[in-house]
Amino acid sequence: MKAVRIHAYGGPEALVYEDAPLPQPGKDEILVRVHAAAVNPVDWKIREGYLKGMLNSRLPLIMGWDLSGTVEAVGPEVVRFKVGDEVFSRPDIERDGAYAEFIVIRENEAAFKPQSIDHLHAAAIPLAGLTACKSLFAAAKLSAGQAILIHGAAGGVGTYAVQLAKWKGAHVIATASERNHDYLRELGADEVIAYQNVRFEDKVRDVDVVFDTIGGETQTRSWNVVKQGGVMVSIVSPPSQEEAVAHGVRAEFVFIQPDAAELSALAKLVDSGKLRVMVEAVLPLAEARRAQELSQNGHTRGKIVLKVR
């Protein structure tokens, strides 16, 4: 099969579009013919070796951990899926990924694809959608009536976070470049702050939750806008526990694992019209290098997806 692999850590040039062995499913696994694979920041971070100390990845490694496709074969202990089923998944990030024509994933890492959208859009949901869900509801315990500040709100995770927070009944404040303001208001943001022109801490005070998808100085400046008893949740770098104590708030860091049940819940939200999937760019699998460069540039609205089939 064709796949995009890295044989060594490095820049975009480390990505090689080449022939790779066709994987075979184990007893509790399914072989999926990949129709589409989404591109995420974690892809290029793994490619560059930033997560070497955190993950047990083996080289050569097929990139990409966000997919939608069709079940091609099942292991003898698989009970939920059969050949021909349409599924989507955020699989185990320590195994070969989905920048490939086929991938083997564990049965408990997959869910039935939303029926109302195509594979290109379904592939854009798992990693970012699960990250937003876990951050808002498991880590932040966000509830109706609370105020949340979402940094990087127009990005892949932020797009879902805005919609899910609004669906929950929260007051949503988003930071984004000016070109994305109307877009975010359409998704449900109550207030949008142009971070390039305005310091958000001059506009925002006493929010219950800060959701940080940016890190660095943005995270540091955000301590002053969380009210006592509130929470700072980051998906970029663990917030300082010392700062959290000093400000009287909780600090949480989220790095998601596969979760088929949560994927099924997201699929229902999509099919019921409560959650929109935003795809800004679609490229062929052979152009994975260009796709990762776009992702690394950091100004994508919604998601970048590779069309595999």
Side-chain angles (χ1 to χ4, degrees):
M1 67 173 183
K2 289 295 186 183
V4 176
R5 301 195 290 185
I6 58 169
H7 294 259
Y9 296 111
E13 69 281 355
L15 295 168
V16 183
Y17 178 67
E18 61 187 355
D19 290 319
L22 181 70
Q24 298 300 317
K27 59 184 180 180
D28 63 345
E29 297 174 333
I30 59 177
L31 175 68
V32 177
R33 179 186 290 273
V34 180
H35 288 243
V39 177
N40 295 283
V42 73
D43 299 0
W44 60 260
K45 290 176 182 178
I46 290 174
R47 185 202 74 220
E48 294 202 347
Y50 292 142
L51 303 183
K52 277 191 291 188
M54 184 177 176
L55 303 175
N56 296 312
S57 304
R58 295 181 183 178
L59 302 178
L61 178 69
I62 299 174
M63 303 297 294
W65 295 274
D66 232 358
L67 71 121
S68 183
T70 306
V71 176
E72 191 81 4
V74 301
E77 294 184 8
V78 171
V79 295
R80 291 175 53 229
F81 302 110
K82 65 182 185 305
V83 172
D85 284 343
E86 293 186 321
V87 297
F88 72 143
S89 172
R90 185 287 205 180
D92 186 344
I93 210 162
E94 296 193 11
R95 307 201 327 174
D96 275 332
Y99 289 11
E101 292 177 319
F102 294 91
I103 184 175
V104 161
I105 58 177
R106 299 182 185 97
E107 179 182 20
N108 62 10
E109 296 169 353
F112 290 106
K113 166 190 161 293
Q115 297 178 357
S116 59
I117 56 176
D118 60 19
H119 286 288
L120 289 169
H121 287 79
I125 298 171
L127 193 149
L130 288 176
T131 300
C133 267
K134 296 293 184 184
S135 299
L136 268 56
F137 306 136
K141 307 287 194 292
L142 183 70
S143 59
Q146 290 188 321
I148 180 172
L149 173 63
I150 300 172
H151 289 303
V157 174
T159 291
Y160 291 116
V162 168
Q163 296 180 82
L164 290 168
K166 194 63 183 175
W167 168 73
K168 193 69 173 178
H171 180 82
V172 180
I173 308 165
T175 66
S177 60
E178 206 158 341
R179 78 180 183 94
N180 288 316
H181 285 201
D182 289 342
Y183 164 73
L184 288 169
R185 289 190 182 97
E186 286 176 19
L187 295 181
D190 297 288
E191 303 177 46
V192 189
I193 298 170
Y195 69 89
Q196 294 161 316
N197 306 326
V198 179
R199 290 181 69 83
F200 64 82
E201 60 268 45
D202 294 338
K203 294 284 187 179
V204 181
R205 279 286 183 276
D206 295 330
V207 297
D208 299 279
V209 179
V210 168
F211 183 33
D212 167 38
T213 73
I214 304 296
E217 181 197 4
T218 297
Q219 184 185 106
T220 302
R221 289 162 49 203
S222 293
W223 291 111
N224 293 321
V225 307
V226 190
K227 74 179 186 183
Q228 289 258 332
V231 57
M232 161 100 70
V233 180
S234 179
I235 60 171
V236 184
S237 58
S240 164
Q241 292 297 329
E242 290 79 8
E243 287 281 1
V245 170
H247 288 87
V249 305
R250 281 195 299 119
E252 300 283 348
F253 177 66
V254 172
F255 190 86
I256 64 153
Q257 299 301 322
D259 190 330
E262 197 77 73
L263 275 182
S264 295
L266 287 169
K268 289 178 181 176
L269 286 175
V270 171
D271 284 339
S272 65
K274 295 182 175 67
L275 189 65
R276 292 167 59 189
V277 182
M278 312 305 293
V279 174
E280 180 173 72
V282 177
L283 290 86
L285 178 61
E287 294 185 26
R289 182 181 301 182
R290 173 65 179 145
Q292 284 201 5
E293 288 172 342
L294 286 172
S295 174
Q296 200 162 355
N297 187 41
H299 296 291
T300 304
R301 176 189 289 181
K303 296 297 294 288
I304 301 164
V305 177
L306 296 171
K307 186 176 182 178
V308 182
R309 191 180 188 201

